[in-house]
Amino acid sequence: MVPDDDKSPAAHATPFLIGRGFSKTFGGVKALRDVDIDIRRGEIHGLVGANGAGKSTLIKILAGLEQPDAGSLSLDGRRTVIEGPDRATALGLSFIHQELHLVEQMDVLENITLGSSKPTRFGMVNWRRVAELVSPVAQRIGIDFSLTSTVSTLSTAQKWLVSICRALVRQSRLIVMDEPTASLSAAETESLFRIVRDLAREGVAVLYVSHRLDEILALCDRVTTLRDGRRVDEIDRTVLTRRRLVEAIVGADVAEVSGRARIRSGEPIVLRVERLRRRPAVRNVSFALHRGEVLGLGGLVGAGRSETARIIFGADSPEGGKMILDGVEFRPRSPYDAMRAGIGFIPEERRSEGLVIDKSIAFNIGLTQLRSLWAAPGIPLIDMSRRASRADEVVRRLAMKTPSVAEPVGRLSGGNQQKVVIGKWLDRGVKLLILDEPSRGVDIAARSEIHRIIRELAAGGQSIIVISADPEELPELCDRVLVMSEGELVDELVGPAITREAILHASYMRPDPRAIEAEA
């Protein structure tokens, strides 16, 4: 993508939106610290930062979904407070999130005008008149499908057009786009860029939030960078470079990566993955995992890490490539196949995907070993005493804090819930354990305990894959880290080379476009 030379004159315009000193704390953690931002008419303004930098919190404040603890907002020189989403809409602010908020069962016209006043006739909505009013706006942004189409039948790119059209029908002055190209093809992305540039030329401001730095470089007049809840840089297009963006995001002057390190472990390979594909999330992923190794998968949200893990665990089927487990080709048709082969998986959403939250600790730990808990061969009745005894052993091993194994999991702390999820795989004795965000939502003490457990498992010969968006976690845990970006592996870090800065730097690298073209 090349920068567009035909830019709006926004770079020298007076800001119409000025935010000063925004601060916000959640549960004792400061999400924003005295952040300033200003946005000009007809400007494409980039907002970047690593995961947890404060971008989402800032957007929620502008949308009226959260109230700042401190700070002020002015629109057109007048101080204002955005008490809620309706007020934001009335002020001309629209928000298009990565998970598009459309009513799938309604048609395009109904979604575009949802929440807007409509002309009536004989006390009924005059849909013919509504269509006449909406059609010029729809044509302006290239909607070439019927306004009577049901939204569920549209592609992701078409749904984005519906959301943009809704913002324009509401006469929005600022449209916030959060990761708009995450699910779009290259051609659809270029089409979206054209629309964004056209909107800017017509005086609409766009706040463009993206992890993809090439898009920021190609589109934006100015860029605000957040790090650890603070605004650390505001960069004008005239001095905007990839290096400056990365250094602002990471917080250090990071040298260019000179090539991949090589693993020198003499341990046998447990799992080999070769050119694994499931587009668009996973493209040509190849790596080897050694016995007793803690292998990290780093990268930004949406990089394809969890999707790769789901393929290995049999939750999703690959479109191409192959996996070799202990020297034999491995083709799991389901998670049950992966479990039988000795693979365990701890999902990111432990409460909804890893636990039966209203059942006991003993019930949850026993879920992966039901047949071995039968009272007698061929009789599918659980031996409750044996189940409780095994659960007691896991509770002791993991130092869980609970009055008994009969305690419902929902009553436990986040850290102890995570230990239950880990515990059910300890009881089964898997050879390969995949942990997706193992310490998310747990306190520091529980995090340390979970890390201790992971290291003990690896020392005992189990192979471990850890997925984490926290750049501090992987350096603490891993022997080796593979960094993913846009569905591909872009870097490999080993031993002392595994640092927070190196992981973040690699996370913003782009895959080789020649490899993507070859794969397509």
Side-chain angles (χ1 to χ4, degrees):
M1 289 174 290
V2 234
D4 184 42
D5 292 325
D6 184 13
K7 302 296 288 183
S8 70
H12 304 290
T14 302
F16 83 94
L17 182 150
I18 299 174
R20 291 288 177 265
F22 285 136
S23 295
K24 183 67 180 178
T25 300
F26 294 104
V29 177
K30 283 194 172 292
L32 286 183
R33 305 165 184 259
D34 198 29
V35 169
D36 294 345
I37 189 168
D38 62 82
I39 300 172
R40 303 162 185 171
R41 288 184 183 82
E43 173 183 46
I44 306 172
H45 192 116
L47 181 63
V48 299
N51 299 321
K55 304 186 300 294
S56 296
T57 302
L58 179 58
I59 291 170
K60 287 176 181 178
I61 288 173
L62 295 178
L65 295 170
E66 296 287 351
Q67 296 302 311
D69 300 329
S72 64
L73 179 68
S74 298
L75 284 168
D76 296 322
R78 296 181 180 179
R79 289 281 291 269
T80 187
V81 175
I82 304 178
E83 303 93 347
D86 289 344
R87 178 62 176 158
T89 300
L91 291 169
L93 312 183
S94 287
F95 300 82
I96 308 177
H97 302 281
Q98 187 175 344
E99 296 80 18
L100 297 169
H101 295 165
L102 299 173
V103 183
E104 297 278 323
Q105 295 75 25
M106 288 185 175
D107 67 30
V108 171
L109 189 60
E110 290 171 321
N111 270 276
I112 288 172
T113 57
L114 197 63
S116 301
S117 59
K118 305 172 187 68
T120 59
R121 188 180 184 192
F122 306 125
M124 306 283 287
V125 174
N126 186 348
W127 287 108
R128 178 175 293 181
R129 180 59 182 152
V130 172
E132 290 173 354
L133 295 172
V134 169
S135 290
V137 182
Q139 291 168 11
R140 170 181 156 200
I141 62 169
I143 289 182
D144 56 4
F145 45 91
S146 172
L147 297 181
T148 60
S149 302
T150 304
V151 163
S152 61
T153 66
L154 303 181
S155 68
T156 302
Q158 289 172 326
K159 290 176 183 178
W160 264 93
L161 293 180
V162 173
S163 297
I164 293 170
C165 190
R166 179 162 66 188
L168 295 179
V169 164
R170 293 176 174 177
Q171 298 184 323
S172 297
R173 298 183 292 167
L174 169 67
I175 302 177
V176 179
M177 298 184 178
D178 189 0
E179 298 291 349
T181 64
S183 302
L184 302 186
S185 67
E188 290 167 341
T189 296
E190 289 298 337
S191 178
L192 177 68
F193 286 1
R194 175 186 58 77
I195 293 166
V196 169
R197 290 171 180 137
D198 286 347
L199 292 175
R201 292 186 191 104
E202 294 169 12
V204 178
V206 176
L207 184 60
Y208 194 92
V209 186
S210 180
H211 286 307
R212 298 181 174 182
L213 300 191
D214 286 322
E215 296 181 5
I216 297 294
L217 291 165
L219 275 176
C220 297
D221 298 299
R222 282 186 304 145
V223 180
T224 292
T225 306
L226 301 181
R227 186 174 71 247
D228 298 329
R230 292 185 172 90
R231 187 183 79 166
V232 293
D233 208 352
E234 183 182 273
I235 314 170
D236 189 84
R237 178 172 192 79
T238 56
V239 291
L240 184 61
T241 63
R242 167 180 283 274
R243 187 177 188 87
R244 181 165 170 181
L245 276 176
V246 171
E247 289 174 3
I249 292 166
V250 174
D253 184 356
V254 184
E256 292 295 327
V257 178
S258 58
R260 294 188 177 184
R262 297 294 179 213
I263 186 77
R264 293 181 172 85
S265 170
E267 294 291 340
I269 292 173
V270 172
L271 175 71
R272 186 182 296 279
V273 171
E274 297 178 357
R275 295 181 62 81
L276 203 62
R277 300 190 302 280
R278 184 183 170 91
R279 291 173 291 183
V282 181
R283 301 171 179 268
N284 294 325
V285 171
S286 300
F287 64 87
L289 174 67
H290 296 255
R291 183 168 68 85
E293 179 182 23
V294 181
L295 176 68
L297 286 184
L300 303 170
V301 173
R305 300 160 305 153
S306 297
E307 291 83 356
T308 300
R310 286 177 59 85
I311 294 173
I312 296 171
F313 190 59
D316 292 325
S317 299
E319 295 173 349
K322 66 179 180 179
M323 296 181 285
I324 299 169
L325 186 66
D326 284 335
V328 178
E329 189 162 358
F330 175 55
R331 296 180 179 178
R333 292 170 295 178
S334 68
Y336 180 67
D337 286 348
M339 289 169 61
R340 290 183 64 189
I343 299 177
F345 181 51
I346 296 174
E348 179 179 1
E349 299 296 335
R350 62 173 174 266
R351 290 180 65 88
S352 60
E353 298 178 8
L355 296 167
V356 184
I357 207 72
D358 60 344
K359 295 293 186 180
S360 69
I361 294 171
F363 177 93
N364 277 274
I365 288 175
L367 281 175
T368 60
Q369 284 284 75
L370 292 176
R371 189 178 292 271
S372 70
L373 294 173
W374 285 0
I379 302 176
L381 296 175
I382 301 299
D383 183 330
M384 299 298 184
S385 174
R386 190 187 309 165
R387 186 178 75 174
S389 175
R390 285 194 182 180
D392 274 328
E393 184 180 338
V394 171
V395 165
R396 284 194 299 271
R397 181 176 175 186
L398 300 186
M400 291 185 206
K401 295 178 181 177
T402 176
S404 79
V405 295
E407 186 78 359
V409 168
R411 293 183 185 172
L412 303 179
S413 67
N416 282 297
Q417 287 180 2
Q418 189 73 322
K419 288 181 182 180
V420 173
V421 185
I422 295 171
K424 68 183 184 184
W425 295 112
L426 293 187
D427 189 41
R428 188 176 176 89
V430 294
K431 69 178 78 168
L432 192 168
L433 183 60
I434 304 169
L435 301 99
D436 195 349
E437 303 292 352
S439 61
R440 174 171 290 176
V442 306
D443 61 28
I444 293 173
R447 174 187 172 112
S448 297
E449 275 292 297
I450 290 166
H451 286 189
R452 178 189 61 78
I453 293 164
I454 291 171
R455 292 190 194 99
E456 283 184 0
L457 293 174
Q462 285 183 265
S463 301
I464 310 287
I465 296 177
V466 177
I467 300 168
S468 180
D470 180 354
E472 304 287 356
E473 183 161 42
L474 298 182
E476 294 174 13
L477 269 177
C478 299
D479 304 305
R480 186 164 52 112
V481 172
L482 305 176
V483 184
M484 295 188 69
S485 174
E486 299 184 28
E488 296 222 13
L489 295 178
V490 293
D491 199 18
E492 180 180 49
L493 306 168
V494 179
I498 305 172
T499 64
R500 173 185 185 273
E501 291 77 17
I503 293 170
L504 280 172
H505 183 267
S507 297
Y508 286 94
M509 292 171 64
R510 287 198 71 201
D512 185 345
R514 292 171 297 181
I516 295 176
E517 287 170 10
E519 177 260 335

